[in-house]
Amino acid sequence: MPFRRKLLRSFVVAAMGLSMASFQGNAFAEQAAGADSSAKPADWSRNAVIYQVYPRSFADSDGDGIGDLPGVTSRLPYLGKLGVDAVWLSPFYKSPQADAGYDVTDYRVVDPMFGKLEDFDEMLKKAHAMGIKIIVDLVPNHTSDEHVWFQEALKSPPGSPERARYIFRDGKGKDGELPPNNWPSVFGKAAWDRVPGEKQWYLHLFDSKQPDLNWDNPEVRAEFEKVLRFWLDRGVDGFRVDVAHGLIKVQGLPDIDIKEGQENAGALVGPMWDQDGVHEIYRSWRKVLDSYPGKRIMVAEAWVNPKERLAHYIRPDEMNQAFNFDYLMTKWDAKAFKEVIDYSLALSASVNAPTTWVTSNHDTVRATSRYGLKELGAHALPGNGIGPKSPQPDEALGLRRARALAMLTMALPGSSYIYQGEELGLPEHTTLEAKYRQDPMFIRTKGGEIGRDGCRIPLPWKADAPSFGFGPSNKTWLPQPASYAKYAVDREESAPDSTLKLYRQILELRREYKLGDGKLSWVDSGKKDVLTFDNGDVRVVINLGEQSVPFPAGGTLVLSSEPLKDQDTLPGNTAVWLTRS
Ligand code: NOJ
């Protein structure tokens, strides 16, 4: 059936002053129906929109400048209205916060700065009552150096069972004064620290306050199964698995071949990354999760190379999803997006897993700012932030592209992620002064790597309130730029063409047209900068070029990423959804 253009909704409707009421829809998210119709419980995550809450920066209930779990609970209605299916919470466990909570002292305790276990239970109960699933972060590659196990290890002699929970080795050189091998930390400098007064060193692929666990030790495996059960018993719907590609290291810990300019373990290949032995661990976890009622899921944070190895993590007896970082790193180019979409769909189909679509998270420059840069350069890589001395993004261009990208991303079959603030079009804080920066990456590299603080700024909720309504005081653990006022939730609530309103419409239509469960078929656009595809009844057209092109023929326009001045042309950096009816 040809696409026609008759009924106008969204920004076109708004621009014409028509009522949007019919479009706001129900306040709370419905459960996404899984694609799986077999006897096993349906995997709700196959088509889910999953919203990442970074608890430190989401909402602060007590005014200490750090977000917390009661803050999350208080904002659940906002997430319900947005229309997300699930929330992934970054770590809120007891931690000295050397890496913003990815350094865990006790996996079963809520850090007092985030609240209490009862606050977690309350949040979970309320989320479930609204039909929102909750997945929590599991950090199995390393603990905090303040974890009781590591403290016991330091007090115990070399060769003791306490030390065997971590990776201790004698140093090289006459007195063990040199590290056991040449591995660098992902955060800069050596991946080893020496135990004071000893020949022994311990491995930390990240900060020195994050000692790596020894996953060849059955005690470590048994402990993590118990941690999984602890949270499953409380009712969580799944886990995001941190550094899923790092748990197993090659026996003997051989030196690596360090190429110039790659003096960073983040190079993705090497004896510490993506070893086949990790999969046995995930297969055992799958069994644990499947022994619980409902469908509990796992999503892998796995940076792998070659990229087809990502499929190993999402085989039917392992995890349900893996973050699609290739998509996140795509440059603003139609051909590049088409290639990554085709590749991602084929890869996940090869193991019958859903594809995920990710455009921002707490480790990477926000899409709004990334795509406002003249040259993307290395800024798509985690930690490669934009600092005050870097070339600055064009904020308006970045926002325009990010809105078009949201319409592309959410129209793709599979599961899509939203990083808190993305739905506001929030930019990175690119001019954050060095004195405020807390990311260990910035600190260990002495500013050589700008790090990730710029994407972790506390959210603006109210334009005219202290801390932009982040909390009841004017305190925020990182300063908010003045420009955040215009992205505040209350401002966007009252602006007809705000990014928040766009996202609500995108998510509602995505559900209505079952885009997450759909199938993509490309349509030749005849233009090098324009991508066109059909997913069920929806035709998606995105113009990634700067120049306008003739408006796509046929179909009913239901949504556009920008208000359209006329219906003859599709402007540059703009996306539209059309339907057949
Ligand atoms: C990946 C997490 O996303 C990141 O924030 C953290 O620093 C490292 N893993 C180490 O846990």
Side-chain angles (χ1 to χ4, degrees):
M1 200 172 160
F3 281 82
R4 289 174 297 113
R5 203 173 70 216
K6 61 172 200 245
L7 220 168
L8 304 182
R9 273 162 122 179
S10 165
F11 291 110
V12 182
V13 177
M16 291 161 70
L18 299 181
S19 161
M20 295 287 286
S22 66
F23 227 64
Q24 298 305 323
N26 74 30
F28 298 152
E30 277 167 37
Q31 286 300 304
D36 184 355
S37 57
S38 68
K40 280 196 250 147
D43 181 351
W44 55 269
S45 73
R46 290 188 76 92
N47 60 10
V49 174
I50 303 179
Y51 184 96
Q52 181 189 357
V53 165
Y54 193 66
R56 297 174 70 87
S57 302
F58 187 64
D60 174 20
S61 74
D62 57 10
D64 65 356
I66 301 173
D68 46 43
L69 293 177
V72 178
T73 308
S74 71
R75 299 296 182 182
L76 284 173
Y78 168 81
L79 296 178
K81 191 169 177 192
L82 181 59
V84 304
D85 300 301
V87 167
W88 148 37
L89 284 163
S90 281
F92 48 82
Y93 318 110
K94 191 157 175 15
S95 158
Q97 303 288 318
D99 183 22
Y102 283 94
D103 49 319
V104 181
T105 309
D106 192 328
Y107 291 85
R108 297 170 179 84
V109 172
V110 173
D111 195 284
M113 76 168 59
F114 296 120
K116 302 188 285 298
L117 203 49
E118 296 80 61
D119 296 322
F120 177 82
D121 291 340
E122 175 73 3
M123 189 246 343
L124 187 69
K125 201 170 99 198
K126 292 215 162 119
H128 281 170
M130 293 168 62
I132 296 177
K133 311 265 189 202
I134 297 287
I135 63 181
V136 296
D137 221 305
L138 186 76
V139 188
N141 181 65
H142 43 263
T143 68
S144 162
D145 65 336
E146 297 181 27
H147 190 286
V148 63
W149 272 8
F150 194 70
Q151 289 302 311
E152 283 172 9
L154 288 181
K155 285 185 218 131
S156 305
S160 61
E162 288 79 5
R163 288 220 171 167
R165 294 165 177 154
Y166 293 89
I167 304 177
F168 283 87
R169 293 289 184 277
D170 284 350
K172 289 183 177 161
K174 197 159 73 57
D175 300 310
E177 69 279 10
L178 299 170
N181 70 20
N182 70 348
W183 295 4
S185 145
V186 175
F187 290 165
K189 302 204 283 195
W192 296 91
D193 265 35
R194 191 175 182 179
V195 184
E198 283 190 20
K199 273 190 165 183
Q200 286 225 307
W201 298 61
Y202 68 90
L203 177 70
H204 57 85
L205 290 179
F206 295 87
D207 191 63
S208 46
K209 285 184 69 61
Q210 294 168 296
D212 279 50
L213 284 161
N214 172 17
W215 275 88
D216 292 326
N217 183 340
E219 199 187 350
V220 171
R221 296 189 184 215
E223 169 62 8
F224 270 85
E225 284 207 12
K226 286 189 212 143
V227 171
L228 288 177
R229 288 182 190 282
F230 177 85
W231 292 103
L232 290 166
D233 287 340
R234 303 203 92 75
V236 303
D237 300 288
F239 302 90
R240 174 262 189 195
V241 180
D242 189 60
V243 197
H245 56 309
L247 274 47
I248 298 291
K249 283 86 181 168
V250 167
Q251 291 293 326
L253 311 180
D255 273 351
I256 56 170
D257 182 16
I258 300 180
K259 297 189 187 64
E260 214 179 316
Q262 284 191 1
E263 303 86 352
N264 180 310
L268 305 184
V269 257
M272 66 294 267
W273 300 133
D274 192 27
Q275 298 304 313
D276 289 339
V278 298
H279 298 291
E280 188 186 315
I281 301 170
Y282 306 135
R283 284 194 284 270
S284 72
W285 291 0
R286 172 85 271 146
K287 289 190 188 124
V288 174
L289 266 65
D290 285 351
S291 70
Y292 279 78
K295 188 75 188 173
R296 316 291 174 109
I297 68 127
M298 289 182 282
V299 49
E301 188 226 13
W303 295 83
V304 299
N305 188 5
K307 51 190 179 183
E308 58 266 23
R309 287 187 60 91
L310 195 62
H312 295 173
Y313 292 76
I314 46 175
R315 286 176 287 200
D317 57 351
E318 296 197 29
M319 304 218 199
N320 302 72
Q321 307 188 339
F323 293 123
N324 187 348
F325 294 126
D326 287 324
Y327 187 71
L328 185 151
M329 292 192 290
T330 308
K331 61 180 180 180
W332 193 255
D333 175 79
K335 187 162 166 271
F337 268 108
K338 182 168 185 301
E339 274 171 15
V340 75
I341 291 168
D342 279 339
Y343 183 83
S344 308
L345 289 169
L347 189 70
S348 49
S350 71
V351 282
N352 190 29
T355 315
T356 67
W357 309 105
V358 184
T359 48
S360 295
N361 66 25
H362 65 293
D363 291 330
T364 51
V365 173
R366 285 180 176 276
T368 35
S369 300
R370 242 172 31 234
Y371 290 122
L373 289 170
K374 273 212 174 66
E375 291 292 331
L376 186 55
H379 288 300
L381 288 171
N384 233 309
I386 301 174
K389 293 192 190 125
S390 325
Q392 293 297 302
D394 175 336
E395 192 174 325
L397 175 68
L399 178 59
R400 193 179 172 100
R401 288 179 170 174
R403 289 164 64 118
L405 178 63
M407 287 193 48
L408 170 67
T409 305
M410 297 290 164
L412 294 168
S415 173
S416 287
Y417 280 78
I418 301 173
Y419 174 49
Q420 64 179 39
E422 225 178 346
E423 78 282 12
L424 302 172
L426 200 67
E428 186 91 355
H429 189 347
T430 56
T431 54
L432 186 68
E433 290 172 62
K435 65 178 179 193
Y436 295 117
R437 293 194 178 265
Q438 301 191 19
D439 186 351
M441 211 164 190
F442 180 81
I443 295 162
R444 286 179 73 89
T445 61
K446 298 201 167 62
E449 303 236 14
I450 292 295
R452 304 160 294 177
D453 295 299
C455 64
R456 299 173 173 182
I457 306 295
L459 286 195
W461 294 91
K462 290 185 194 142
D464 298 320
S467 69
F468 294 134
F470 170 62
S473 76
N474 59 6
K475 285 197 211 149
T476 54
W477 70 278
L478 287 172
Q480 300 160 303
S483 69
Y484 271 27
K486 64 173 181 284
Y487 297 96
V489 172
D490 65 346
R491 283 271 166 93
E492 298 213 13
E493 284 281 5
S494 54
D497 57 356
S498 70
T499 307
L500 177 59
K501 293 222 166 129
L502 174 67
Y503 260 85
R504 285 185 185 148
Q505 293 169 83
I506 289 175
L507 264 51
E508 183 169 341
L509 287 169
R510 177 187 153 91
R511 179 174 293 115
E512 186 180 328
Y513 288 100
K514 301 191 174 14
L515 300 178
D517 292 324
K519 203 168 159 346
L520 174 148
S521 47
W522 293 106
V523 176
D524 184 7
S525 75
K527 297 258 176 298
K528 104 176 163 18
D529 291 331
V530 179
L531 291 181
T532 304
F533 64 84
D534 292 342
N535 180 353
D537 285 341
V538 176
R539 173 159 293 183
V540 179
V541 185
I542 178 167
N543 177 5
L544 291 107
E546 299 305 314
Q547 308 304 323
S548 297
V549 294
F551 201 88
T556 302
L557 177 65
V558 286
L559 193 62
S560 65
S561 62
E562 295 295 325
L564 298 174
K565 285 198 197 77
D566 60 56
Q567 293 162 47
D568 300 324
T569 54
L570 177 64
N573 300 308
T574 303
V576 290
W577 287 0
L578 314 165
T579 61
R580 290 165 198 269
S581 52

